[in-house]
Amino acid sequence: MKNSIKPQGCTNLKLRQLTRMVTRHYDGYVAQTGLKNTQYALLSYVVRLGPIQPVDLARLMRMDASTLTRNLQPLATQGLLETGAGKDARSRLVEATEAGRTKHAEGQRAWKTAQTALNERLGVERIAALHDLLDTCIECLDGQSGE
């Protein structure tokens, strides 16, 4: 018996639409801390994993190294992150400052409020199913480029 399910429309378009909507939702909460959603995410990784080499941070965030460098600059300018010497003269390490850890805690409270509101709006079962589906898709696509 053939599978009669056929996706309708463009997957990329649907994902981008959903991403924009969810990003606006989180931005509405996180912006109250003075951070953009992307800045909060980056700060969270550095607080949790730092000190960390930028190349490792970019890989873990599934982000291009040049994009990461551009995104680190405003946080460093605000005094939330600092870059120091690594193991050798060519390597650098990024870590959160005390102000960065404080701002992260503030952002985390706003993020939790946003997450709770989204869970209530969509339902925790739907959110859990979405997370499972996204994790599976990421795992299937991880390591593929240009396919």
Side-chain angles (χ1 to χ4, degrees), residues 77-113:
T77 299
Q78 294 174 49
L80 304 177
L81 296 178
E82 60 187 9
T83 304
K87 293 180 245 175
D88 57 48
R90 294 182 299 154
S91 67
R92 310 296 281 159
L93 291 174
V94 177
E95 73 179 303
T97 63
E98 187 59 38
R101 286 187 283 281
T102 300
K103 182 59 76 173
H104 173 260
E106 183 183 345
Q108 189 172 40
R109 287 188 295 274
W111 173 86
K112 283 182 179 181
T113 303

Side-chain angles (χ1 to χ4, degrees), residues 66-141:
S66 62
T67 301
L68 175 68
T69 299
R70 281 192 308 276
N71 290 343
L72 287 172
Q73 288 172 335
L75 295 172
T77 299
Q78 294 174 49
L80 304 177
L81 296 178
E82 60 187 9
T83 304
K87 293 180 245 175
D88 57 48
R90 294 182 299 154
S91 67
R92 310 296 281 159
L93 291 174
V94 177
E95 73 179 303
T97 63
E98 187 59 38
R101 286 187 283 281
T102 300
K103 182 59 76 173
H104 173 260
E106 183 183 345
Q108 189 172 40
R109 287 188 295 274
W111 173 86
K112 283 182 179 181
T113 303
Q115 184 67 49
T116 299
L118 191 66
N119 289 350
E120 289 173 1
R121 180 104 187 251
L122 296 179
V124 291
E125 297 83 8
R126 188 174 285 130
I127 293 289
L130 178 61
H131 286 201
D132 286 344
L133 179 59
L134 292 171
D135 289 343
T136 300
C137 291
I138 289 168
E139 187 177 305
C140 287
L141 294 172

